[in-house]
Amino acid sequence: MVLAQGIEGSNVALNIGIFALFVAFTLYIVFRASRTSKTAVDYYAAGHSFTGAQNGVAISGDYLSAASFLGIAGAIALNGYDGFLYSIGFLVAWLIALLLVAELLRNTGRYTMGDVLSFRMRQRPVRAAASISTLVVSIFYLLAQMAGAGGLVALLLGVESRTGQAMVVAVVGAIMIIYVIIGGMRGTTWVQIIKAALLIVGAAAMTVWVLGKVGFNLSTLLGDAVARVGEGGEKLLNPGAQYGLTGTTQLDFVSLALALVLGTAGLPHILMRFYTVPSAKEARRSVVWAIWLIGIFYLFTLVLGYGAGALVGSDTIKAAPGGANSAAPLLAYALGGTVLLGVISAVAFATILAVVAGLTITASASFAHDIYANVIKKGAADDKAQEVRVARITALVIGAVAIVGGIVATGQNIAFLVALAFAIAASANLPTILYSLFWKRFNTQGALWSIYGGLTVCLALIIFSPAVSGKPVDPATGKSPSMLQNVDFSWFPLDNPGIVSIPAAFLLGYLGTVLSKERNDAKYAEMEVRALTGAQAEKAVVH
């Protein structure tokens, strides 16, 4: 493995040492947690035993990915106001989860999204559809995170060779598989809690440090960022630096905003976290905790972004190996030298590990519980042995797929993978969840049309969008921002399909329902009572 100085002044040995300490500590926690992961309810839902506060911290750890930490800080440093709009979108999305989804989902389901969607439908086809949607969202999200690991290592540890990056992706994947197979949901949750604490404390320390340099005056910081740019620096304080003010660019932003705001409440690895608490009240509490923590963190990114613009400069950020993603590490080095850079490097790796572990356990649980136990075995699987064994094998397979996919995607433009995951979640999952919870007439055909229709429309529009092919070559890099180079088969003008695929999924769900004669009003009445009161909902398991 070829080691070089990814960031000038970076101490590679220190970075690796701090990361190794984090991995060793979290593996110890995971092995401790594995002692109580004996049954399916332990493996999938941690025995419904976490408090709302604990789960809220874990949700924030699951949600705040490397893109949130590195990407948004870089976007604000380079684009100012427009970069901060990402933070707004990601945060506002939680209001939908709080007001429409969290409590009702916790009361109605057991382990997975498929439990809720199939409650009053024909079990096998709806569970199969829910599991396919979950696997697609999780795998695309996993690919983005794993590929991001390769790019992050090139930036922070100076691993520039393709082989070296592949080895790092494999190491991240192997650690993730150990977390999930051994610790289950309980071990994964503790990893996410530790990671969230590290990330928020690290960001808070850097924020206070940056503000201290300007006398804790935000206006002075904004003025310094504008002055550092020089002529035209005022664009950092006004909308339009990234998305323009007219035409397709603005429509694309609306489409992206729709996907972000509506997609969060349909992300399977976020929905599954609601089952780790003992009651709907605790589920609501956990979302409130998550909103506060995520909101505070995004306020930190505002200071970190403008701080990087003021103290490091946009030209230095653009010239760094990771471009915009290097803003936070460069700021850390400018503030605290190699030690702070080492800590921030370790936090960034911890962020990737925690997120991929959450995604893997969600995908493996969906396959084992929905497809194996309820579609293949028709509900006859042994709760204590067969189903959990299949979940662990599935985690191993998904981890291997993520490693191979991450190695292949390293160095590619992987931004569209995250957008695709949010857009699919908003298109295929959220309409079906809302219809299931709130529309008495909704039936099996409507659910299948909504899930498969939303999935198909979303994937098709992404494939034929400029995100995949057709964008002009950037003179600065000599490469097209599209994933595929030197080809153009795009006909859909927007990078994100949300503005089309989300309404299409709602429409297909409606049409599928009204064109079918199937009704199950009695089952809906039972579901409504259970969703609103918590009667017969899953209870906590005490060991």
Side-chain angles (χ1 to χ4, degrees):
M1 185 165 70
V2 179
L3 291 179
Q5 297 298 84
I7 292 179
E8 187 179 349
S10 172
N11 186 323
V12 172
L14 180 65
N15 295 351
I16 294 175
I18 296 174
F19 178 58
L21 281 175
F22 169 81
V23 171
F25 179 65
T26 51
L27 283 176
Y28 169 74
I29 297 292
V30 165
F31 276 101
R32 286 286 301 268
S34 68
R35 298 176 186 175
T36 53
S37 291
K38 299 172 183 176
T39 64
V41 69
D42 290 323
Y43 186 79
Y44 295 145
H48 310 297
S49 60
F50 282 96
T51 66
Q54 289 173 328
N55 193 46
V57 178
I59 286 174
S60 66
D62 211 354
Y63 192 67
L64 295 172
S65 65
S68 296
F69 180 40
L70 302 174
I72 292 178
I76 293 171
L78 298 180
N79 300 305
Y81 181 99
D82 279 13
F84 191 57
L85 291 176
Y86 278 95
S87 297
I88 302 297
F90 282 130
L91 181 60
V92 168
W94 280 100
L95 293 177
I96 294 174
L98 173 64
L99 299 175
L100 298 180
V101 174
E103 282 186 87
L104 307 182
L105 204 76
R106 170 62 185 84
N107 282 339
T108 311
R110 191 180 183 194
Y111 304 141
T112 67
M113 182 179 73
D115 290 335
V116 177
L117 300 186
S118 64
F119 190 93
R120 58 192 178 97
M121 316 289 180
R122 296 199 304 276
Q123 292 278 318
R124 296 176 75 191
V126 174
R127 281 190 181 275
S131 184
I132 288 170
S133 175
T134 296
L135 288 169
V136 171
V137 173
S138 299
I139 286 173
F140 275 105
Y141 217 122
L142 265 174
L143 288 179
Q145 295 295 322
M146 297 296 281
L152 195 61
V153 167
L155 169 66
L156 298 176
L157 299 186
V159 181
E160 296 180 341
S161 71
R162 184 84 178 181
T163 305
Q165 291 184 27
M167 287 175 62
V168 172
V169 169
V171 168
V172 170
I175 297 170
M176 164 196 79
I177 292 169
I178 292 171
Y179 283 162
V180 173
I181 290 179
I182 295 175
M185 179 57 89
R186 198 184 304 273
T188 301
T189 299
W190 280 114
V191 170
Q192 288 164 342
I193 289 172
I194 295 165
K195 168 255 166 161
L198 285 174
L199 181 62
I200 292 171
V201 169
M206 287 178 64
T207 299
V208 171
W209 205 327
V210 169
L211 289 175
K213 283 187 170 291
V214 292
F216 292 92
N217 189 321
L218 186 60
S219 296
T220 303
L221 178 65
L222 298 179
D224 289 350
V226 169
R228 185 69 182 252
V229 174
E231 187 177 351
E234 295 80 9
K235 67 180 182 180
L236 292 178
L237 306 181
N238 298 309
Q242 183 175 0
Y243 290 102
L245 298 173
T246 57
T248 306
T249 316
Q250 286 239 303
L251 194 62
D252 209 0
F253 177 72
V254 172
S255 189
L256 175 65
L258 273 175
L260 297 183
V261 171
L262 299 178
T264 296
L267 288 174
H269 65 292
I270 297 297
L271 298 177
M272 194 168 173
R273 292 234 53 89
F274 298 141
Y275 299 124
T276 63
V277 291
S279 66
K281 179 182 177 182
E282 291 298 300
R284 184 174 67 245
R285 234 181 113 217
S286 66
V287 177
V288 172
W289 268 85
I291 288 174
W292 274 104
L293 292 172
I294 292 166
I296 290 168
F297 175 80
Y298 283 140
L299 288 177
F300 292 159
T301 63
L302 181 67
V303 175
L304 297 180
Y306 279 111
L311 300 176
V312 179
S314 58
D315 291 339
T316 306
I317 294 169
K318 290 176 183 176
N325 289 335
S326 64
L330 285 170
L331 177 62
Y333 182 65
L335 292 172
T338 55
V339 175
L340 186 57
L341 176 59
V343 171
I344 296 305
S345 302
V347 168
F349 283 119
T351 296
I352 289 177
L353 272 177
V355 173
V356 295
L359 288 163
T360 303
I361 195 167
T362 300
S364 63
S366 181
F367 180 85
H369 182 61
D370 291 325
I371 292 182
Y372 174 77
N374 288 287
V375 175
I376 298 173
K377 289 288 187 177
K378 301 180 182 178
D382 179 2
D383 187 51
K384 292 184 178 180
Q386 287 174 288
E387 196 177 317
V388 173
R389 194 180 306 120
V390 170
R392 289 187 164 124
I393 294 169
T394 306
L396 190 62
V397 173
I398 289 170
V401 169
I403 289 170
V404 174
I407 291 170
V408 171
T410 297
Q412 298 283 339
N413 177 1
I414 50 88
F416 85 100
L417 291 172
V418 176
L420 176 58
F422 271 87
I424 292 174
S427 302
N429 295 348
L430 186 65
T432 319
I433 290 170
L434 295 181
Y435 277 148
S436 295
L437 292 173
F438 297 108
W439 188 20
K440 181 191 288 190
R441 178 79 170 79
F442 194 53
N443 56 31
T444 302
Q445 182 171 292
L448 297 178
W449 281 31
S450 179
I451 293 174
Y452 288 129
L455 195 62
T456 304
V457 171
C458 188
L459 285 172
L461 293 182
I462 280 281
I463 289 168
F464 294 106
S465 76
V468 174
S469 71
K471 285 188 178 179
V473 173
D474 183 351
T477 61
K479 294 176 66 177
S480 167
S482 300
M483 184 186 182
L484 301 179
Q485 305 291 313
N486 305 319
V487 291
D488 183 5
F489 48 82
S490 64
W491 51 262
F492 184 66
L494 306 179
D495 281 356
N496 194 289
I499 201 168
V500 175
S501 61
I502 297 170
F506 274 104
L507 178 61
L508 287 167
Y510 171 78
L511 291 176
T513 300
V514 298
L515 294 176
S516 169
K517 295 181 180 179
E518 178 192 353
R519 289 191 72 122
N520 197 340
D521 290 358
K523 197 69 175 172
Y524 174 77
E526 179 188 340
M527 182 178 181
E528 186 177 35
V529 170
R530 179 166 168 171
L532 295 175
T533 66
Q536 297 184 323
E538 294 290 313
K539 303 300 181 186
V541 176
V542 179
H543 289 284

